[in-house]
Coordinates of all heavy atoms in Angstrom, one line a residue:
Chain P
D136 N 3.2 2.2 -99.6 CA 4.4 1.4 -100.0 C 4.2 0.0 -99.5 O 4.1 -0.2 -98.3 CB 5.6 2.1 -99.3 CG 6.9 1.5 -99.7 OD1 7.0 0.2 -99.7 OD2 7.8 2.3 -100.1
D137 N 4.3 -1.0 -100.4 CA 4.1 -2.4 -100.1 C 5.1 -2.9 -99.0 O 4.7 -3.7 -98.1 CB 4.1 -3.3 -101.3 CG 2.9 -3.0 -102.2 OD1 2.0 -2.4 -101.7 OD2 3.0 -3.4 -103.4
E138 N 6.3 -2.5 -99.2 CA 7.3 -2.9 -98.3 C 7.1 -2.4 -96.9 O 7.2 -3.1 -95.9 CB 8.7 -2.5 -98.8 CG 9.8 -3.5 -98.4 CD 11.1 -3.1 -99.2 OE1 11.1 -2.4 -100.2 OE2 12.1 -3.6 -98.7
A139 N 6.7 -1.1 -96.8 CA 6.4 -0.5 -95.5 C 5.2 -1.2 -94.9 O 5.1 -1.5 -93.7 CB 6.1 1.0 -95.7
V140 N 4.2 -1.5 -95.7 CA 3.0 -2.2 -95.2 C 3.4 -3.6 -94.7 O 2.9 -4.0 -93.6 CB 2.0 -2.4 -96.4 CG1 0.8 -3.3 -96.0 CG2 1.4 -1.0 -96.8
A141 N 4.2 -4.3 -95.4 CA 4.7 -5.6 -94.9 C 5.4 -5.5 -93.6 O 5.1 -6.3 -92.7 CB 5.6 -6.2 -95.9
I142 N 6.2 -4.5 -93.4 CA 7.0 -4.4 -92.2 C 6.0 -4.0 -91.0 O 6.0 -4.6 -90.0 CB 8.1 -3.3 -92.3 CG1 9.2 -3.7 -93.2 CG2 8.7 -2.9 -90.9 CD1 10.1 -2.6 -93.6
L143 N 5.1 -3.0 -91.3 CA 4.2 -2.6 -90.2 C 3.2 -3.7 -89.9 O 2.9 -3.9 -88.7 CB 3.4 -1.3 -90.7 CG 4.3 -0.1 -90.8 CD1 3.5 1.0 -91.5 CD2 4.7 0.4 -89.4
S144 N 2.7 -4.4 -90.9 CA 1.7 -5.5 -90.7 C 2.4 -6.6 -89.9 O 1.8 -7.2 -89.0 CB 1.2 -6.1 -92.0 OG 0.5 -5.1 -92.7
G145 N 3.6 -6.9 -90.3 CA 4.4 -7.9 -89.5 C 4.6 -7.6 -88.1 O 4.4 -8.4 -87.2
D146 N 4.9 -6.3 -87.9 CA 5.1 -5.9 -86.5 C 3.8 -5.9 -85.7 O 3.7 -6.4 -84.5 CB 5.6 -4.4 -86.5 CG 6.4 -4.1 -85.3 OD1 6.6 -4.9 -84.5 OD2 6.9 -2.9 -85.2
A147 N 2.7 -5.6 -86.4 CA 1.3 -5.6 -85.8 C 1.0 -7.1 -85.4 O 0.5 -7.4 -84.3 CB 0.3 -5.1 -86.7
E148 N 1.2 -8.0 -86.3 CA 0.9 -9.4 -86.1 C 1.8 -10.0 -84.9 O 1.3 -10.7 -84.1 CB 1.2 -10.3 -87.3 CG 0.0 -10.1 -88.3 CD 0.3 -10.8 -89.6 OE1 1.1 -11.8 -89.6 OE2 -0.3 -10.4 -90.7
A149 N 3.0 -9.5 -84.9 CA 3.9 -10.0 -83.8 C 3.4 -9.6 -82.5 O 3.4 -10.3 -81.5 CB 5.3 -9.5 -84.0
N150 N 3.0 -8.3 -82.4 CA 2.4 -7.8 -81.1 C 1.1 -8.5 -80.8 O 0.9 -8.8 -79.6 CB 2.2 -6.3 -81.2 CG 3.4 -5.5 -80.9 OD1 3.8 -5.4 -79.7 ND2 4.0 -4.9 -81.9
A151 N 0.3 -8.8 -81.8 CA -1.0 -9.5 -81.5 C -0.7 -10.9 -81.0 O -1.4 -11.3 -80.1 CB -1.8 -9.5 -82.8
F152 N 0.3 -11.5 -81.6 CA 0.6 -12.9 -81.2 C 1.1 -12.9 -79.7 O 0.8 -13.7 -78.9 CB 1.6 -13.5 -82.2 CG 2.0 -14.9 -81.8 CD1 1.1 -16.0 -82.0 CD2 3.3 -15.2 -81.2 CE1 1.5 -17.3 -81.6 CE2 3.6 -16.5 -80.9 CZ 2.7 -17.5 -81.1
A153 N 2.0 -11.9 -79.5 CA 2.6 -11.8 -78.1 C 1.4 -11.6 -77.1 O 1.4 -12.1 -76.0 CB 3.6 -10.7 -78.1
A154 N 0.5 -10.7 -77.5 CA -0.6 -10.4 -76.6 C -1.5 -11.6 -76.3 O -1.8 -11.9 -75.2 CB -1.5 -9.3 -77.2
E155 N -1.7 -12.4 -77.4 CA -2.5 -13.7 -77.2 C -1.8 -14.6 -76.3 O -2.4 -15.3 -75.4 CB -2.7 -14.3 -78.6 CG -3.9 -13.8 -79.3 CD -4.0 -14.4 -80.7 OE1 -3.6 -15.5 -80.9 OE2 -4.5 -13.6 -81.6
T156 N -0.5 -14.8 -76.5 CA 0.3 -15.7 -75.7 C 0.2 -15.3 -74.2 O 0.0 -16.2 -73.3 CB 1.8 -15.7 -76.2 OG1 1.8 -16.0 -77.6 CG2 2.6 -16.8 -75.4
L157 N 0.4 -14.0 -74.0 CA 0.4 -13.5 -72.6 C -1.0 -13.6 -72.0 O -1.1 -14.0 -70.8 CB 0.9 -12.1 -72.6 CG 1.5 -11.5 -71.3 CD1 2.6 -12.4 -70.8 CD2 2.0 -10.1 -71.5
A158 N -2.0 -13.4 -72.8 CA -3.4 -13.4 -72.3 C -3.8 -14.8 -71.8 O -4.6 -14.9 -70.9 CB -4.4 -13.0 -73.4
D159 N -3.2 -15.8 -72.4 CA -3.5 -17.2 -72.0 C -3.0 -17.5 -70.6 O -3.6 -18.3 -69.9 CB -2.8 -18.2 -72.9 CG -3.5 -18.3 -74.3 OD1 -4.7 -17.9 -74.3 OD2 -2.8 -18.7 -75.3
S160 N -2.0 -16.7 -70.1 CA -1.5 -16.9 -68.8 C -2.2 -16.0 -67.7 O -1.8 -16.0 -66.6 CB 0.0 -16.7 -68.8 OG 0.3 -15.3 -68.9
S161 N -3.1 -15.2 -68.2 CA -3.8 -14.3 -67.3 C -5.1 -14.8 -66.8 O -6.0 -15.1 -67.6 CB -4.0 -13.0 -68.0 OG -4.8 -12.2 -67.2
S162 N -5.2 -14.9 -65.5 CA -6.5 -15.4 -64.9 C -7.6 -14.3 -65.1 O -8.8 -14.6 -65.1 CB -6.3 -15.6 -63.4 OG -5.3 -16.5 -63.2
L163 N -7.1 -13.1 -65.2 CA -8.1 -12.0 -65.4 C -8.7 -12.0 -66.8 O -9.9 -11.6 -67.0 CB -7.4 -10.6 -65.1 CG -8.2 -9.4 -64.9 CD1 -9.2 -9.5 -63.8 CD2 -7.3 -8.2 -64.7
L164 N -7.9 -12.4 -67.8 CA -8.4 -12.3 -69.2 C -8.8 -13.7 -69.7 O -9.6 -13.7 -70.6 CB -7.2 -11.8 -70.1 CG -6.7 -10.4 -69.7 CD1 -5.5 -10.0 -70.5 CD2 -7.8 -9.3 -69.8
E165 N -8.2 -14.7 -69.2 CA -8.5 -16.1 -69.6 C -8.4 -16.2 -71.1 O -9.3 -16.8 -71.8 CB -9.9 -16.5 -69.1 CG -10.0 -16.6 -67.6 CD -11.4 -16.9 -67.1 OE1 -12.3 -16.5 -67.8 OE2 -11.5 -17.4 -66.0
G166 N -7.3 -15.7 -71.7 CA -7.1 -15.9 -73.1 C -7.7 -14.9 -74.0 O -7.4 -14.9 -75.2
D167 N -8.6 -14.1 -73.5 CA -9.3 -13.1 -74.4 C -8.5 -11.8 -74.4 O -8.6 -11.0 -73.4 CB -10.7 -12.9 -73.8 CG -11.5 -12.0 -74.7 OD1 -11.0 -11.5 -75.7 OD2 -12.7 -11.7 -74.3
T168 N -7.8 -11.5 -75.4 CA -6.9 -10.3 -75.5 C -7.8 -9.0 -75.6 O -7.4 -8.0 -75.0 CB -6.0 -10.3 -76.7 OG1 -6.8 -10.6 -77.9 CG2 -4.9 -11.4 -76.6
L169 N -8.9 -9.1 -76.3 CA -9.8 -7.9 -76.4 C -10.4 -7.5 -75.1 O -10.7 -6.4 -74.8 CB -10.9 -8.2 -77.4 CG -10.4 -8.3 -78.9 CD1 -11.6 -8.7 -79.8 CD2 -9.7 -7.1 -79.3
A170 N -10.5 -8.5 -74.2 CA -11.1 -8.2 -72.8 C -10.2 -7.2 -72.1 O -10.7 -6.4 -71.3 CB -11.2 -9.5 -72.0
A171 N -8.9 -7.3 -72.4 CA -7.9 -6.4 -71.7 C -8.3 -4.9 -72.0 O -8.0 -4.1 -71.2 CB -6.5 -6.7 -72.2
L172 N -8.8 -4.7 -73.2 CA -9.0 -3.3 -73.6 C -10.3 -2.7 -72.9 O -10.4 -1.5 -72.8 CB -9.2 -3.2 -75.1 CG -8.1 -3.8 -76.0 CD1 -8.4 -3.6 -77.5 CD2 -6.8 -3.2 -75.6
G173 N -11.2 -3.6 -72.5 CA -12.4 -3.2 -71.9 C -12.4 -3.2 -70.3 O -13.4 -3.0 -69.7
L174 N -11.2 -3.5 -69.8 CA -11.1 -3.6 -68.4 C -11.4 -2.3 -67.6 O -11.1 -1.2 -68.1 CB -9.7 -4.1 -67.9 CG -9.4 -5.5 -68.1 CD1 -7.9 -5.8 -67.7 CD2 -10.3 -6.4 -67.3
E175 N -12.1 -2.5 -66.5 CA -12.3 -1.3 -65.6 C -12.0 -1.7 -64.2 O -11.7 -2.8 -63.9 CB -13.8 -1.0 -65.7 CG -14.2 -0.4 -67.1 CD -15.7 0.0 -67.1 OE1 -16.4 -0.3 -66.2 OE2 -16.1 0.5 -68.2
G176 N -12.0 -0.7 -63.3 CA -11.7 -0.9 -61.9 C -12.6 -1.9 -61.3 O -12.1 -2.7 -60.4
A177 N -13.9 -2.0 -61.7 CA -14.8 -3.0 -61.1 C -14.3 -4.4 -61.4 O -14.5 -5.3 -60.6 CB -16.2 -2.8 -61.6
D178 N -13.7 -4.6 -62.6 CA -13.2 -5.9 -63.0 C -12.1 -6.4 -62.0 O -12.0 -7.5 -61.7 CB -12.7 -5.9 -64.4 CG -13.8 -5.6 -65.4 OD1 -14.9 -6.2 -65.3 OD2 -13.6 -4.8 -66.3
L179 N -11.3 -5.4 -61.6 CA -10.2 -5.7 -60.7 C -10.7 -6.1 -59.3 O -10.2 -7.1 -58.7 CB -9.2 -4.5 -60.5 CG -8.5 -4.1 -61.8 CD1 -7.6 -2.9 -61.4 CD2 -7.7 -5.2 -62.4
L180 N -11.8 -5.4 -58.9 CA -12.4 -5.8 -57.6 C -13.0 -7.2 -57.7 O -13.0 -8.0 -56.7 CB -13.4 -4.8 -57.1 CG -12.8 -3.5 -56.6 CD1 -13.9 -2.7 -55.9 CD2 -11.7 -3.7 -55.6
D181 N -13.7 -7.5 -58.8 CA -14.3 -8.8 -59.0 C -13.2 -9.9 -58.9 O -13.4 -10.9 -58.4 CB -15.0 -8.9 -60.4 CG -16.3 -8.0 -60.4 OD1 -16.8 -7.8 -59.2 OD2 -16.8 -7.7 -61.4
R182 N -12.1 -9.6 -59.6 CA -11.0 -10.6 -59.6 C -10.5 -10.8 -58.2 O -10.1 -11.9 -57.7 CB -9.9 -10.1 -60.6 CG -8.7 -11.0 -60.6 CD -8.9 -12.4 -61.0 NE -7.8 -13.3 -60.8 CZ -7.9 -14.5 -60.4 NH1 -9.0 -15.1 -60.3 NH2 -6.8 -15.2 -60.2
L183 N -10.4 -9.6 -57.4 CA -9.9 -9.7 -56.0 C -10.8 -10.6 -55.2 O -10.4 -11.4 -54.4 CB -9.8 -8.3 -55.4 CG -9.2 -8.2 -54.0 CD1 -7.8 -8.8 -53.9 CD2 -9.2 -6.8 -53.5
A184 N -12.2 -10.5 -55.5 CA -13.1 -11.3 -54.8 C -12.9 -12.8 -55.1 O -13.0 -13.6 -54.2 CB -14.5 -10.9 -55.1
E185 N -12.6 -13.0 -56.4 CA -12.3 -14.4 -56.8 C -11.1 -15.0 -56.1 O -11.1 -16.1 -55.6 CB -12.1 -14.5 -58.3 CG -13.4 -14.4 -59.1 CD -13.1 -14.4 -60.6 OE1 -11.9 -14.8 -61.0 OE2 -13.9 -13.9 -61.4
I186 N -10.0 -14.2 -56.1 CA -8.8 -14.6 -55.4 C -9.1 -14.9 -54.0 O -8.6 -16.0 -53.4 CB -7.7 -13.5 -55.5 CG1 -7.3 -13.3 -57.0 CG2 -6.5 -13.8 -54.6 CD1 -6.4 -12.1 -57.2
R187 N -9.8 -14.1 -53.3 CA -10.1 -14.3 -51.9 C -11.0 -15.5 -51.7 O -10.9 -16.2 -50.6 CB -10.7 -13.0 -51.2 CG -9.7 -11.9 -51.2 CD -10.2 -10.7 -50.5 NE -10.5 -10.9 -49.1 CZ -9.7 -11.1 -48.2 NH1 -8.4 -11.2 -48.5 NH2 -10.1 -11.2 -46.9
D188 N -11.8 -15.8 -52.6 CA -12.7 -16.9 -52.5 C -12.0 -18.3 -52.7 O -12.5 -19.3 -52.3 CB -13.8 -16.8 -53.6 CG -15.0 -17.7 -53.2 OD1 -15.4 -17.7 -52.0 OD2 -15.6 -18.3 -54.1
E189 N -10.8 -18.2 -53.3 CA -10.0 -19.4 -53.6 C -9.3 -19.9 -52.3 O -8.8 -21.0 -52.2 CB -8.9 -19.1 -54.6 CG -9.5 -19.0 -56.0 CD -8.4 -18.4 -57.0 OE1 -7.3 -18.3 -56.6 OE2 -8.8 -18.0 -58.1
R190 N -9.4 -19.1 -51.2 CA -8.7 -19.5 -50.0 C -9.5 -20.6 -49.3 O -10.7 -20.8 -49.6 CB -8.6 -18.3 -49.1 CG -7.8 -17.1 -49.6 CD -6.3 -17.5 -49.6 NE -5.5 -16.3 -49.9 CZ -4.2 -16.3 -49.8 NH1 -3.5 -17.4 -49.4 NH2 -3.5 -15.3 -50.1
S191 N -8.8 -21.2 -48.3 CA -9.5 -22.3 -47.6 C -10.6 -21.8 -46.7 O -10.7 -20.6 -46.4 CB -8.5 -23.0 -46.7 OG -8.1 -22.1 -45.6
D192 N -11.5 -22.7 -46.4 CA -12.7 -22.3 -45.6 C -12.2 -21.6 -44.2 O -12.8 -20.7 -43.8 CB -13.6 -23.5 -45.2 CG -14.3 -23.9 -46.5 OD1 -14.4 -23.2 -47.5 OD2 -14.8 -25.1 -46.5
E193 N -11.2 -22.2 -43.7 CA -10.7 -21.7 -42.4 C -10.2 -20.3 -42.5 O -10.5 -19.4 -41.7 CB -9.5 -22.6 -42.0 CG -9.0 -22.2 -40.6 CD -7.5 -22.7 -40.3 OE1 -6.9 -23.3 -41.2 OE2 -7.0 -22.3 -39.3
L194 N -9.5 -20.0 -43.6 CA -9.0 -18.6 -43.8 C -10.2 -17.6 -44.1 O -10.2 -16.5 -43.6 CB -8.0 -18.5 -44.9 CG -6.6 -19.1 -44.5 CD1 -5.7 -19.1 -45.8 CD2 -6.0 -18.2 -43.5
R195 N -11.1 -18.2 -44.9 CA -12.3 -17.3 -45.2 C -13.1 -17.0 -44.0 O -13.8 -16.0 -43.9 CB -13.1 -18.0 -46.3 CG -12.6 -17.6 -47.7 CD -13.6 -18.1 -48.8 NE -13.5 -19.6 -48.8 CZ -14.4 -20.3 -49.4 NH1 -15.4 -19.8 -49.9 NH2 -14.2 -21.6 -49.5
A196 N -13.1 -17.9 -43.1 CA -14.0 -17.8 -41.9 C -13.4 -16.8 -40.8 O -14.0 -16.5 -39.9 CB -14.3 -19.1 -41.2
L197 N -12.1 -16.4 -41.1 CA -11.5 -15.5 -40.1 C -12.3 -14.2 -39.9 O -12.5 -13.5 -40.9 CB -10.1 -15.2 -40.6 CG -9.0 -16.2 -40.4 CD1 -7.7 -15.7 -41.0 CD2 -8.8 -16.5 -38.9
N198 N -12.7 -14.0 -38.7 CA -13.5 -12.7 -38.4 C -13.0 -12.1 -37.1 O -13.7 -12.4 -36.1 CB -15.0 -13.0 -38.5 CG -15.8 -11.8 -38.5 OD1 -15.3 -10.7 -38.2 ND2 -17.0 -11.9 -38.8
P199 N -12.0 -11.4 -37.1 CA -11.5 -10.8 -35.8 C -12.5 -9.9 -35.1 O -12.5 -9.9 -33.9 CB -10.2 -10.0 -36.2 CG -10.3 -9.9 -37.7 CD -11.1 -11.0 -38.3
D200 N -13.3 -9.2 -35.9 CA -14.3 -8.3 -35.3 C -15.3 -9.2 -34.5 O -15.6 -8.8 -33.3 CB -15.0 -7.5 -36.4 CG -14.1 -6.6 -37.1 OD1 -13.1 -6.2 -36.5 OD2 -14.4 -6.3 -38.3
A201 N -15.7 -10.3 -35.0 CA -16.7 -11.1 -34.3 C -16.1 -11.7 -33.1 O -16.7 -11.8 -32.0 CB -17.2 -12.2 -35.2
L202 N -14.8 -12.1 -33.2 CA -14.1 -12.7 -32.1 C -13.9 -11.7 -30.9 O -14.1 -12.0 -29.8 CB -12.7 -13.2 -32.5 CG -12.6 -14.5 -33.2 CD1 -11.2 -14.7 -33.7 CD2 -13.0 -15.6 -32.2
Q203 N -13.6 -10.4 -31.3 CA -13.5 -9.4 -30.3 C -14.8 -9.1 -29.7 O -14.9 -8.9 -28.4 CB -12.8 -8.1 -30.9 CG -12.6 -7.1 -29.9 CD -11.8 -5.9 -30.4 OE1 -11.2 -5.9 -31.4 NE2 -11.8 -4.8 -29.6
A204 N -15.9 -9.0 -30.5 CA -17.2 -8.8 -29.9 C -17.6 -9.8 -28.9 O -18.1 -9.5 -27.8 CB -18.2 -8.7 -31.0
E205 N -17.3 -11.1 -29.3 CA -17.6 -12.2 -28.3 C -16.8 -12.1 -27.1 O -17.3 -12.3 -26.0 CB -17.2 -13.5 -29.1 CG -18.0 -14.7 -28.6 CD -17.7 -16.0 -29.4 OE1 -17.7 -15.9 -30.6 OE2 -17.4 -17.0 -28.8
A206 N -15.5 -11.7 -27.2 CA -14.6 -11.6 -26.1 C -15.1 -10.4 -25.2 O -15.1 -10.6 -23.9 CB -13.2 -11.3 -26.5
E207 N -15.5 -9.3 -25.8 CA -16.0 -8.2 -25.0 C -17.3 -8.6 -24.2 O -17.5 -8.1 -23.1 CB -16.3 -7.0 -25.9 CG -15.0 -6.4 -26.3 CD -15.2 -5.1 -27.2 OE1 -16.2 -4.5 -27.0 OE2 -14.3 -4.8 -28.0
D208 N -18.2 -9.4 -24.9 CA -19.4 -9.9 -24.2 C -19.0 -10.7 -22.9 O -19.6 -10.6 -21.9 CB -20.2 -10.8 -25.1 CG -20.9 -10.0 -26.2 OD1 -21.0 -8.7 -26.0 OD2 -21.4 -10.5 -27.1
Q209 N -18.0 -11.6 -23.1 CA -17.6 -12.4 -21.9 C -17.0 -11.5 -20.8 O -17.2 -11.8 -19.6 CB -16.5 -13.4 -22.4 CG -17.2 -14.5 -23.2 CD -16.1 -15.5 -23.7 OE1 -14.9 -15.2 -23.8 NE2 -16.6 -16.7 -24.1
L210 N -16.2 -10.6 -21.2 CA -15.6 -9.7 -20.2 C -16.6 -8.8 -19.5 O -16.6 -8.6 -18.3 CB -14.5 -8.7 -20.9 CG -13.3 -9.4 -21.4 CD1 -12.4 -8.4 -22.2 CD2 -12.5 -10.0 -20.2
E211 N -17.6 -8.4 -20.3 CA -18.7 -7.7 -19.7 C -19.5 -8.5 -18.7 O -19.9 -8.0 -17.6 CB -19.7 -7.1 -20.8 CG -20.5 -6.0 -20.2 CD -21.4 -5.4 -21.3 OE1 -21.1 -5.6 -22.5 OE2 -22.4 -4.8 -20.9

Side-chain angles (χ1 to χ4, degrees):
Chain P
D136 187 310
D137 290 344
E138 212 169 339
V140 168
I142 292 170
L143 291 168
S144 299
D146 208 0
E148 281 173 26
N150 273 290
F152 180 72
E155 276 174 30
T156 306
L157 203 55
D159 286 338
S160 69
S161 166
S162 304
L163 193 59
L164 304 174
E165 293 174 336
D167 184 1
T168 51
L169 292 178
L172 306 183
L174 281 177
E175 291 182 352
D178 298 312
L179 295 183
L180 284 192
D181 287 340
R182 176 61 191 148
L183 183 58
E185 280 176 23
I186 291 170
R187 292 184 62 69
D188 200 42
E189 288 167 10
R190 298 286 188 172
S191 68
D192 290 343
E193 187 203 354
L194 284 175
R195 271 185 290 163
L197 282 177
N198 190 344
D200 296 331
L202 280 174
Q203 184 170 346
E205 205 175 312
E207 286 183 28
D208 285 347
Q209 287 178 339
L210 291 174
E211 195 177 340

